[in-house]
Amino acid sequence: MTQKLLLMAAGGTGGHMFPAQALAEEMLRRGWRVKLSTDARGARYTGGFPHMTEITQVSSGTFARGGLLAKALVAPKIAGGVASMAMAMRRDRPDVVIGFGGYPSIPALGAATLLGLPRMLHEQNGVLGRVNQLFATRVHHVACGVWPTELPEGANGIHVGNPVRAAVRERAAAAYIPPGDYPMSVLVMGGSQGARILSDVVPGAIAALPPEIRGHLRVSHQARDEDSARVSEFYAAQGITADVQPFFHDVPARMSEAQLVISRAGASSVADISVIGRPSILIPLAAAIRDEQTANARGLVEAGAAVLIPESALDTASLSEQIASVLSQAQGATQMAHAALDAGVPNATDRLVALVEHLAEEETE
């Protein structure tokens, strides 16, 4: 029996790539071949993908950046990408094509649409991204990470949740140690776009905590390269133990040890927080065009698992007050951790796999 082939297409952010990685891990385990089509930015996130994943870089472009000339060259670039992808698909026909969003997914989805191949989307956020918006009514299914997701009329949306990587699943529902008068951990995550304001506000908010809380804290703080020296120096000057890095390769381990997570509300971060089950303070990215991060946070906030602070209301005093509120109430923090677990979808990968396999079977019937 011939091996089935899944072609995944994803743009160059962790939000798109982490769910793709989770799906690749499981489809390979089930005996499928898996190809990933991405761009140079996306290739930076492929280190964690199983080595059997066949990775190709594609030609695509975005109308969102650059001057008039750059924008004028985008359409021919995308058309070239679609044409070359269609030729590749004729040579090695995928059983299913799935797009995870981002401009680099256009060539694969465009070619699959032209050739009439089984195709679907996975949308991580509560609001469709531009590319997924474009293809939502041209695919068989839109697998939604957040529910409800705003969908155009005619799109077939199915709630599957956001798949998390194997390293996160291994820490699912890790025992929560409530805050107390012993060493406590706080994990601060800003994401690739939104780390600057957290680096500006969080250290001061932690320094302003009552001494009986601050004296027990260890902080893991994700900060951009250009901010990490000043953030480290500030924590050191305040006598706060802190590990400041631009990227943590062991986020699941740090999160499972944390009493509190302070984070942007990116889809992958929210999924990790809910699967591991931790209290959180979420600060949606104000620059997000569709305000998708507020939509992402809604489930945890409504469940009583997270405190939401809009970026416009974020300052040292208000954040310090919220941190103190969580870390001074062991029972309340434990309830938040349990509520996060209840809001999570730990089997999101299995649900997405079932959808992929069902789509492949429908095609062969």
Side-chain angles (χ1 to χ4, degrees), residues 179 186 201 205-206 208-210 213 217 259-262 279-283 305-310 313-329 332-333 336:
V186 172
V201 177
I206 288 174
L209 289 169
I213 295 176
L217 283 189
Q259 274 64 48
L260 173 65
V261 178
I262 302 170
S280 58
I281 296 173
L282 300 175
I283 301 138
V307 174
L308 186 140
I309 304 179
L314 182 67
D315 59 41
T316 303
S318 62
L319 179 59
S320 192
E321 192 180 315
Q322 294 293 356
I323 296 169
S325 175
V326 175
L327 295 182
S328 62
Q329 300 179 61
M336 288 177 79

Side-chain angles (χ1 to χ4, degrees), residues 4-79:
K4 283 195 162 73
L5 171 61
L6 172 67
L7 174 62
M8 306 187 307
T13 69
H16 300 314
M17 299 295 280
F18 291 149
Q21 180 184 325
L23 181 61
E25 288 165 349
E26 186 56 28
M27 297 310 288
L28 287 164
R29 201 180 68 75
R30 291 176 184 230
W32 282 55
R33 281 173 59 216
V34 177
K35 284 186 172 181
L36 170 68
S37 172
T38 188
D39 63 350
R41 278 178 73 217
R44 295 179 308 178
Y45 290 89
T46 56
F49 275 71
H51 70 277
M52 290 182 293
T53 313
E54 302 167 42
I55 298 166
T56 54
Q57 285 191 34
V58 291
S59 168
S60 186
T62 167
F63 291 97
R65 287 188 291 274
L68 282 176
L69 179 60
K71 287 177 179 172
L73 295 172
V74 168
K77 197 174 176 187
I78 290 174

